Amino acid sequence: QLQASGGGLVQAGDSLRLSCTASLRTFERLTLGWFRQAPGKEREFVAAVTLSGASTHYGAAVKGRFTVSRENGKNTVYLQTNGLKPEDTAVYYCVAATFTPQALSVIRPSYWGQGTQVTVSS
């Protein structure tokens, strides 16, 4: 089970911090991360991080603006979103996978949480 929070309505240029707690067995949450889905678009990989926090991977649209993190071995993942743009508006989903963050960008994750809405006004 994945429980995400932290979404909201902000203005362009603002920041938000999303968080997600994973109630899964250790191997099931080897990698934790985020996808997003904007209205009328397919779900898009955002970012992911390994259990240790040592390895991360980002989607091209957010690289340099968003930071994914987790405490070593903990079951909580964070997504710090800076410099938000209207095109970042989407439902953000927390995900968990048994494979690497890099693989998560091309393979659908094993577990999905409920989404949290992020809306960025111009």
Side-chain angles (χ1 to χ4, degrees), residues 7-59:
L9 172 62
V10 297
Q11 294 186 333
D14 284 351
S15 300
L16 278 175
R17 190 190 195 206
L18 309 184
S19 62
C20 172
T21 299
S23 301
L24 298 167
R25 291 172 288 183
T26 299
F27 78 93
E28 294 172 326
R29 52 182 172 85
L30 181 67
T31 291
L32 293 180
W34 299 88
F35 276 67
R36 69 185 183 185
Q37 187 168 24
K41 294 187 177 181
E42 294 186 355
R43 288 186 179 184
E44 174 188 23
F45 171 76
V46 176
V49 59
T50 52
L51 184 65
S52 68
S55 179
T56 58
H57 190 60
Y58 294 90

Side-chain angles (χ1 to χ4, degrees), residues 100-111:
T100 66
Q102 289 76 11
L104 186 57
S105 66
V106 294
I107 302 173
R108 285 183 66 86
S110 308
Y111 304 95

Side-chain angles (χ1 to χ4, degrees), residues 74-121:
K74 298 294 186 180
N75 61 350
T76 302
V77 62
Y78 305 97
L79 184 69
Q80 179 67 41
T81 65
N82 297 328
L84 284 164
K85 305 175 182 179
E87 51 264 44
D88 293 317
T89 295
V91 177
Y92 284 70
Y93 295 92
C94 179
V95 299
T98 57
F99 36 84
T100 66
Q102 289 76 11
L104 186 57
S105 66
V106 294
I107 302 173
R108 285 183 66 86
S110 308
Y111 304 95
W112 293 82
Q114 97 292 352
T116 184
Q117 177 71 47
V118 172
T119 303
V120 184
S121 63

